Amino acid sequence: MASKSLDRFALPRFLLLSLAASLLLSPSHGWIPRRRPASSSAADDQLVYLWPLPELFRHGHRTLSVDPDLALDLRIPGGESLALSEAFERYRDLIFTQWERSAHRSYTDYDVNKLTVLVASDDDTLQFGADESYTLSVGGGESFSVVNGAAIEANTVYGALRGLETFSQLCAPNIENKTVEIQKAPWYIEDEPRFSFRGLLIDTSRHYLPVNVIKQVIDAMSYAKLNVLHWHIVDEQSFPLEVPSYPNLWKGAYSKLERYTIEDAYEVVEGAGYPDLWPSANCTEPLDVSKNFTFEVISGILTDMRKIFPFGLFHLGGDEVNTDCWNSTPHVKQWLQERNMTTKEAYQYFVLRAQKIATSLGWIPVNWEETFNAFKENLDLQTVIHNWLGPGVCPQAVAQGFRCIMSNQGVWYLDHLDVTWENFYNTEPLEGINNATQQKLVLGGEVCMWGEMVDTSNVQQTIWPRAAAAAERLWSPREATSVGNLNTTVLPRLHYFRCLLNHRGVAAAPVTSKPAREPPHGPASCFLQ
């Protein structure tokens, strides 16, 4: 059963208060495997082992060695960027192991001893729609304007970070001679994402995830070039977030040790701290539509969150609303009768009032598709419609001028363990949308890791590698992800990427596990399981 179907309580019905926080981060630990498995076939030799596939690339047939003391030549207005300098050091740790660094040769023995990074702007303000484009050239001589080195060119810091990830995937250890090599050189890559919104939802209301685990998930997202973390922080089950304006809210956490402080950063919403939000003690969802205090709390939470998160989108929920509670609570029922208002109309009133609070604070409201299905004609046109129930909603939404995010539960819900990597890979956000103007209104998509059946013990192997399959669909050109036999053009590369995740410390399950997240059933290569 879909986790969304289980998720039918309290505040999230009207105020999910999940935060879609854009995370264009770089990794912190690990190393990568050989360029391809020893048992690879001639067909494998024709594949490019990069994930996700770049928009445009050319390569040759040479093998270049990479200096373990690879130097960074950063050229950026102002002369320096702490974010890029630190990212370079993290990627150097990813690329080189200790034994490679100890097997020193002379500086001139290496083909690639410097990485030049040229960035047009030193403005590292993070906001939705940041330019993530880059070009990468390696060892190409005059034809690629690089001699004995590699270069990344980007308009922004975030494009350069994407280029660093691609460069790291080109670098592979040669265990036999204890060096790092770049095969199929020279390389020239021009790259940018197909969609600006490439998201992963995690749910910390059903099971608490420690901050360090969330950071590990973010690291893994950066490897697959996913860029939006949708943090479903709270739900009726728990409210683990500190909200300064309403300090009693986080008394609704499972325990004092399962909380997120303001210092931990992101989140919001719901809990036992303010029972006046409920229609009654025995009726805790939806929240009390009849009280101004409900909306004062919503405003306080959104105001506090605006101080913390610069990202433009805020998810206000609105899904699976059961309004029976309002009709069974005398004071709410009286409020409705005095206004000659049905519960369906009250649902609309609640959503629209929450939207006005959000937009007044500079948020762009995101709502689940039920709000569009129920009263599309009254929604703020800024609203981003978040699909989840099934196919067909995004075409309807963009035809009405709304923007849309695709998360069809049948193919992009990670808690559905029977959904295979092929389903994730083959799902097309623009399906049924042929008008070019309407296609631009599809921001992208989001795979969802609802938390009823995952916690720290198994969250990574449930997310990966299936989330990576969707990540390539969202990043790479449609024509590159929609042709050929997946078993020969995609599966070997996804096996390889899963191995890369494992070597970087990410507990990604075997690609073809059925059901998903199952461990290996016997001895086998990482590349073939």
Side-chain angles (χ1 to χ4, degrees):
M1 182 180 293
S3 290
K4 285 297 250 68
S5 298
L6 300 174
D7 171 23
R8 55 186 61 160
F9 304 101
L11 180 59
R13 304 294 59 79
F14 292 119
L15 187 64
L16 180 63
L17 287 177
S18 305
L19 185 72
S22 182
L23 295 161
L24 295 164
L25 304 183
S26 51
S28 57
H29 56 273
W31 64 293
I32 63 175
R34 293 187 64 180
R35 178 92 315 264
R36 54 186 175 84
S39 59
S40 64
S41 66
D44 290 336
D45 291 335
Q46 305 304 313
L47 296 177
V48 170
Y49 286 85
L50 295 173
W51 197 279
L53 277 177
E55 181 181 44
L56 179 152
F57 56 89
R58 301 195 297 271
H59 64 83
H61 304 283
R62 296 170 52 203
T63 297
L64 306 179
S65 60
V66 185
D67 191 341
D69 289 326
L70 183 71
L72 172 66
D73 179 10
L74 180 57
R75 304 179 188 181
I76 187 171
E80 61 182 23
S81 166
L82 183 62
L84 283 175
S85 297
E86 291 181 347
F88 175 77
E89 292 301 322
R90 291 194 294 272
Y91 272 108
R92 193 159 60 176
D93 287 341
L94 278 177
I95 295 168
F96 299 101
T97 62
Q98 186 58 45
W99 53 260
E100 288 156 348
R101 287 181 167 178
S102 65
H104 275 290
R105 300 182 295 186
S106 68
Y107 182 81
T108 56
D109 286 342
Y110 294 99
D111 300 307
V112 179
N113 46 49
K114 180 173 69 173
L115 175 62
T116 302
V117 178
L118 303 96
V119 184
S121 171
D122 61 351
D123 182 2
D124 59 1
T125 302
L126 183 58
Q127 55 188 334
F128 181 66
D131 187 342
E132 300 174 68
S133 65
Y134 68 92
T135 61
L136 169 64
S137 52
V138 181
E142 293 182 1
S143 62
F144 293 160
S145 302
V146 177
V147 178
N148 293 329
I152 295 170
E153 297 185 44
N155 292 321
T156 70
V157 167
Y158 302 106
L161 289 172
R162 297 304 183 211
L164 280 171
E165 172 60 38
T166 302
F167 177 77
S168 76
Q169 291 188 24
L170 289 177
C171 297
N174 183 323
I175 306 299
E176 294 174 348
N177 62 19
K178 297 184 178 180
T179 61
V180 168
E181 297 175 342
I182 296 176
Q183 298 181 9
K184 297 186 177 181
W187 283 91
Y188 179 74
I189 295 171
E190 291 182 6
D191 202 12
E192 64 179 343
R194 182 177 170 216
F195 292 102
S196 57
F197 190 107
R198 307 178 309 282
L200 167 66
L201 178 148
I202 60 172
D203 173 9
T204 59
S205 66
R206 279 52 182 262
H207 284 98
Y208 174 85
L209 296 176
V211 171
N212 67 319
V213 173
I214 295 172
K215 290 180 178 178
Q216 290 165 13
V217 171
I218 293 169
D219 270 354
M221 288 174 64
S222 75
Y223 305 148
K225 295 188 172 74
L226 291 174
N227 72 329
V228 178
L229 178 71
H230 177 174
W231 194 342
H232 184 96
I233 302 163
V234 308
D235 214 301
E236 197 253 351
Q237 287 83 355
S238 75
F239 190 121
L241 175 69
E242 178 185 18
V243 178
S245 295
Y246 293 90
N248 288 338
L249 282 173
W250 72 346
K251 290 182 180 179
Y254 288 122
S255 72
K256 290 183 179 180
L257 294 179
E258 295 170 290
R259 292 175 170 178
Y260 302 106
T261 66
I262 283 297
E263 289 76 17
D264 288 333
Y266 341 74
E267 302 62 7
V268 167
V269 128
E270 197 228 337
Y274 295 92
D276 285 347
L277 292 170
W278 302 338
S280 70
N282 298 319
C283 190
T284 60
E285 69 95 7
L287 296 187
D288 194 331
V289 67
S290 71
K291 292 180 179 177
N292 282 328
F293 179 67
T294 300
F295 297 97
E296 290 172 5
V297 172
I298 291 172
S299 179
I301 291 170
L302 289 174
T303 300
D304 282 344
M305 293 304 98
R306 201 69 181 112
K307 297 173 184 176
I308 300 170
F309 300 108
F311 193 59
L313 304 182
F314 202 97
H315 211 303
L316 296 170
D319 62 315
E320 295 185 320
V321 177
N322 184 343
T323 57
D324 291 346
C325 186
W326 286 343
N327 271 328
S328 63
T329 305
H331 78 270
V332 179
K333 185 176 182 179
Q334 180 181 350
W335 183 89
L336 293 171
Q337 290 173 343
E338 289 173 353
R339 287 156 179 79
N340 195 27
M341 187 181 290
T342 66
T343 54
K344 181 179 179 181
E345 291 168 336
Y347 164 48
Q348 174 181 307
Y349 166 82
F350 197 120
V351 170
L352 297 182
R353 188 165 174 181
Q355 282 197 338
K356 287 181 179 179
I357 294 171
T359 56
S360 71
L361 293 167
W363 294 109
I364 298 171
V366 184
N367 285 97
W368 293 112
E369 66 176 77
E370 285 93 329
T371 60
F372 175 80
N373 296 335
F375 46 89
K376 62 176 74 69
E377 63 280 355
N378 294 319
L379 281 175
D380 189 311
L381 197 56
Q382 293 185 67
T383 306
V384 178
I385 308 302
H386 195 165
N387 149 255
W388 75 274
L389 283 169
V393 171
C394 278
Q396 296 175 39
V398 299
Q400 297 290 325
F402 291 98
R403 289 171 292 180
C404 193
I405 296 168
M406 199 283 293
S407 290
N408 182 347
Q409 65 171 335
V411 287
W412 273 13
Y413 267 31
L414 292 157
D415 55 307
H416 292 198
L417 301 183
D418 59 336
V419 179
T420 66
W421 74 268
E422 294 98 329
N423 294 128
F424 279 85
Y425 194 85
N426 283 327
T427 297
E428 172 52 50
L430 297 185
E431 189 69 35
I433 305 172
N434 300 316
N435 180 283
T437 300
Q438 294 177 8
Q439 287 179 345
K440 293 178 181 178
L441 294 176
V442 179
L443 300 184
E446 175 179 292
V447 291
C448 298
M449 184 67 268
W450 295 103
E452 285 90 348
M453 305 300 178
V454 296
D455 63 7
T456 298
S457 68
N458 62 0
V459 66
Q460 291 279 47
Q461 57 262 47
T462 313
I463 293 173
W464 309 106
R466 292 180 302 157
E472 180 159 285
R473 170 66 57 176
L474 290 166
W475 178 280
S476 304
R478 185 173 184 176
E479 57 270 21
T481 57
S482 304
V483 296
N485 185 326
L486 294 187
N487 288 329
T488 57
T489 62
V490 179
L491 182 57
R493 296 191 302 106
L494 188 54
H495 276 309
Y496 180 84
F497 185 72
R498 180 258 174 166
C499 294
L500 180 146
L501 291 176
N502 286 174
H503 281 285
R504 292 185 176 186
V506 180
V511 175
T512 55
S513 291
K514 292 182 180 179
R517 82 180 180 199
E518 286 290 301
H521 299 294
S525 165
C526 170
F527 298 98
L528 300 176
Q529 294 184 60

